Amino acid sequence: MKKYIVMAMSVALFGMTSCSEDQLDDVNKNYQYPAADVVPAHLQITDAIMATAFNTSSGDYSFYLSTVTEQQVGTGNNQMMKAELRTGNELISTSTYNNVWNSTYSNLLNIQEMINKVEKNIASSGGQLDVLGAAQVLKVINFEILTDMHGDIPYSEALQSAANMQPKADSQESIYADLVKTIDKAIENLNTATEEEMANFGAEDILFKGNTKKWMALAYAVKARLYIHQTVVNANAAEEALKAAEKALELGFAGFKVSEFDGNVTVNPWAAFLDSRGYTAPSKTVVDLMGENDPRLKHYVTATAPDNNYTGYYGYEPGAYAAPGDEEFAKQSWTPNISEYYYMYNEPIQVLSLHELLFIKAEAEARTGKDATKSFKQAVQASITESNSWVGDEETGADYAASLGTATLEKIFVQKYIAMSIDEQVQTYNDLRRCMGMGESYITLTNPNNNKNGKNFWPYILPYGESSMVSNPNLKAVDCCAKQCWLFGGK
């Protein structure tokens, strides 16, 4: 009898084990939300656009580099103060850029998933060339910023998830070559989508609402940026940048800017950063370049109320700015000054502005022996119109732009530096290094902490994110702060 009891118990236990294994197979399934492979590619565009703007173009890169470019002065007696005074390892620490490094690659995974779904006909997304082209444009923008910031990065072996958790770093030169090929593919796909009147996007395309012509204009603008960055290493770069810029403008390019902020629940990242931290202030370097007649001055230099309440606009105040590297000012726990743009919680993030493209066109014209004056003045006017729009100022800036006279490379770079001093510091960082690589100098940086005891403290390149440095031996083997940066002349 005991034998049958034992056998019965064994069968019961075996059955319980089998049942438990079946249940364990389903433990990690999320039944509340659909699996990624059943979500149509076009529904992923909203996150891709917002993450590109909020995290990569206007996040930690922009915050920290604003002190490097001297377009803002770091203060607050904390990390931005350390960046301003070039103390500790704030600007060269892997932990400083870990969040933006991770979030950018995470966004790229999402974008690559969109591309795969269209190319492999997953989730009924096959043949949607408008979706494919838009995703390719966003992929290029994100990888462009990553390699601009860090030089050699994981690229050809990246975005494979569990299939390759330790991708190698590709050379910046090879990455740029492939980015140009990818943007050309995007243009081809978007052109076909336009001809065939594809409309696979709806309201989820928060940038252009599915307008493939506008996406194509952006693609050409991105191509112009890719080429103008290569002026150090490519003799034909300026000519190619000019052709791409002209095509973007012909298609009606008006800028890549995200404005999906209500000023309450969702806010511009710079406004959120300054509201919670108060870590930057207007820079004397920018003010001196502007001069008293610049219409943007009153918007750039703004003083807050005595109680430091960042809830309204308190107007221009002469002297409400600081010299870069001013230790006493940087160590303040809370700056009393802030640029007017940062009061506007619902102002857009500019990933690639109209004035940037016009300045690229002007530079390309100047470098190829053409008269850049018209493009230069259009760029300045576009910048003034943009800054004035923040508070309903109707001044167009036409008179000021006309007063600047004939365009020269120096004027182009100075005015571009001013125009991009609010939320486009990543591209200014690129311009400064590019000019250094070409032996040109148009912006004089004045922070005395850039050089201390004969040692350079101005970063020519940024370190990888800490997570990859810890987990990826292929990156740990690369001394990213000493390695050559092809794009900007080997600095």
Side-chain angles (χ1 to χ4, degrees):
M1 184 69 179
K2 288 183 178 179
K3 180 176 71 171
Y4 296 113
I5 294 173
V6 171
M7 288 179 64
M9 290 179 66
S10 297
V11 171
L13 287 170
F14 179 78
M16 289 174 63
T17 302
S18 176
C19 179
S20 297
E21 287 179 350
D22 290 342
Q23 290 175 339
L24 285 172
D25 287 340
D26 292 336
V27 164
N28 289 324
K29 292 183 179 179
N30 188 335
Y31 291 98
Q32 185 175 0
Y33 300 103
D37 59 3
V38 301
V39 177
H42 71 91
L43 295 179
Q44 298 174 243
I45 193 73
T46 305
D47 283 350
I49 293 170
M50 185 60 78
T52 299
F54 199 100
N55 297 330
T56 304
S57 180
S58 190
D60 287 339
Y61 288 143
S62 190
F63 298 156
Y64 280 97
L65 291 178
S66 68
T67 72
V68 173
T69 63
E70 297 187 12
Q71 289 166 302
Q72 296 287 324
V73 171
T75 182
N77 200 29
N78 208 304
Q79 66 258 41
M80 297 304 289
M81 174 204 72
K82 294 177 182 177
E84 183 65 36
L85 301 181
R86 314 289 191 259
T87 57
N89 294 320
E90 197 67 41
L91 288 174
I92 58 172
S93 172
T94 57
S95 62
T96 298
Y97 309 102
N98 191 55
N99 288 342
V100 63
W101 172 270
N102 290 339
S103 61
T104 301
Y105 270 109
S106 178
N107 187 34
L108 279 163
L109 278 170
N110 176 49
I111 294 168
Q112 187 61 46
E113 195 172 80
M114 294 175 64
I115 293 171
N116 292 343
K117 285 179 178 179
V118 176
E119 292 182 338
K120 299 176 182 179
N121 193 17
I122 300 171
S124 303
S125 300
Q128 297 180 355
L129 298 184
D130 50 348
V131 178
L132 178 59
Q136 289 169 325
V137 172
L138 293 173
K139 179 179 179 179
V140 170
I141 292 172
N142 280 271
F143 265 124
E144 169 248 311
I145 293 176
L146 273 177
T147 190
D148 287 351
M149 299 298 97
H150 304 282
D152 302 347
I153 58 169
Y155 182 77
S156 62
E157 294 183 357
L159 312 183
Q160 298 178 30
S161 298
N164 188 347
M165 300 294 288
Q166 297 177 339
K168 70 175 183 179
D170 294 279
S171 71
Q172 188 181 58
E173 183 176 9
S174 68
I175 293 169
Y176 250 75
D178 196 67
L179 292 180
V180 172
K181 291 179 182 178
T182 303
I183 205 67
D184 281 339
K185 291 177 184 176
I187 290 170
E188 182 180 344
N189 289 326
L190 291 165
N191 185 57
T192 301
T194 301
E195 291 176 349
E196 296 184 7
E197 299 182 349
M198 291 186 180
N200 292 297
F201 285 123
E204 62 271 7
D205 175 10
I206 60 173
L207 187 57
F208 297 131
K209 302 298 185 290
N211 187 317
T212 52
K213 185 178 177 181
K214 290 184 178 181
W215 274 104
M216 189 157 48
L218 172 59
Y220 275 108
V222 171
K223 186 174 182 178
R225 178 193 274 179
L226 289 173
Y227 271 112
I228 206 67
H229 283 181
Q230 297 181 60
T231 50
V232 183
V233 294
N234 182 348
N236 298 318
E239 190 65 49
E240 292 296 329
L242 179 56
K243 288 190 291 186
E246 288 174 337
K247 187 62 178 179
L249 292 167
E250 177 187 321
L251 289 168
F253 179 75
F256 176 172
K257 55 185 180 181
V258 175
S259 55
E260 300 298 313
F261 307 108
D262 62 15
N264 295 302
V265 177
T266 57
V267 299
N268 177 290
W270 264 102
F273 179 66
L274 268 295
D275 184 54
S276 63
R277 306 289 181 90
Y279 278 177
T280 67
S283 167
K284 185 177 185 296
T285 302
V286 177
V287 172
D288 287 348
L289 288 172
M290 282 183 171
E292 294 181 358
N293 296 324
D294 193 316
R296 294 161 293 192
L297 180 62
K298 61 181 177 292
H299 305 307
Y300 179 74
V301 179
T302 310
T304 62
D307 61 356
N308 297 322
N309 179 11
Y310 288 5
T311 58
Y313 167 58
Y314 295 98
Y316 169 67
E317 180 175 308
Y321 52 87
D326 184 329
E327 184 170 352
E328 182 178 349
F329 185 89
K331 288 184 175 180
Q332 293 182 99
S333 60
W334 190 274
T335 174
N337 315 315
I338 187 171
S339 292
E340 183 180 26
Y341 171 85
Y342 304 137
Y343 284 108
M344 310 301 163
Y345 284 20
N346 58 350
E347 279 304 312
I349 302 170
Q350 300 189 103
V351 179
L352 202 168
S353 63
L354 173 60
H355 55 252
E356 180 190 349
L357 180 66
L358 287 166
F359 279 120
I360 289 173
K361 181 172 181 279
E363 180 190 344
E365 288 170 336
R367 292 196 185 281
T368 55
K370 301 176 179 63
D371 184 1
T373 302
K374 180 179 179 181
S375 299
F376 167 64
K377 291 181 178 180
Q378 287 175 336
V380 173
Q381 189 170 338
S383 166
I384 293 171
T385 299
E386 177 71 27
S387 64
N388 284 347
S389 71
W390 303 337
V391 290
D393 189 336
E394 296 181 358
E395 183 178 358
T396 65
D399 291 341
Y400 178 75
S403 73
L404 296 174
T406 304
T408 63
L409 276 174
E410 181 175 9
K411 289 181 181 179
I412 290 168
F413 275 102
V414 166
Q415 287 299 319
K416 186 179 181 184
Y417 176 90
I418 293 170
M420 303 177 76
S421 63
I422 296 298
D423 66 334
E424 299 170 275
Q425 294 89 347
V426 168
Q427 296 306 321
T428 299
Y429 181 54
N430 291 336
D431 282 344
L432 292 174
R433 292 179 298 162
R434 182 161 58 92
C435 288
M436 291 176 190
M438 299 178 75
E440 300 173 354
S441 179
Y442 304 113
I443 306 297
T444 301
L445 299 177
T446 62
N447 190 330
N449 302 301
N450 288 336
N451 188 295
K452 293 187 289 187
N453 300 321
K455 295 182 179 180
N456 174 66
F457 285 82
W458 197 89
Y460 290 109
I461 197 167
L462 306 182
Y464 303 129
E466 184 175 35
S467 59
S468 291
M469 288 295 285
V470 170
S471 63
N472 188 349
N474 290 319
L475 294 189
K476 283 194 283 187
V478 179
D479 184 353
C480 64
C481 289
K483 71 181 189 292
Q484 295 296 297
C485 187
W486 165 84
L487 191 61
F488 302 114
K491 293 295 185 182

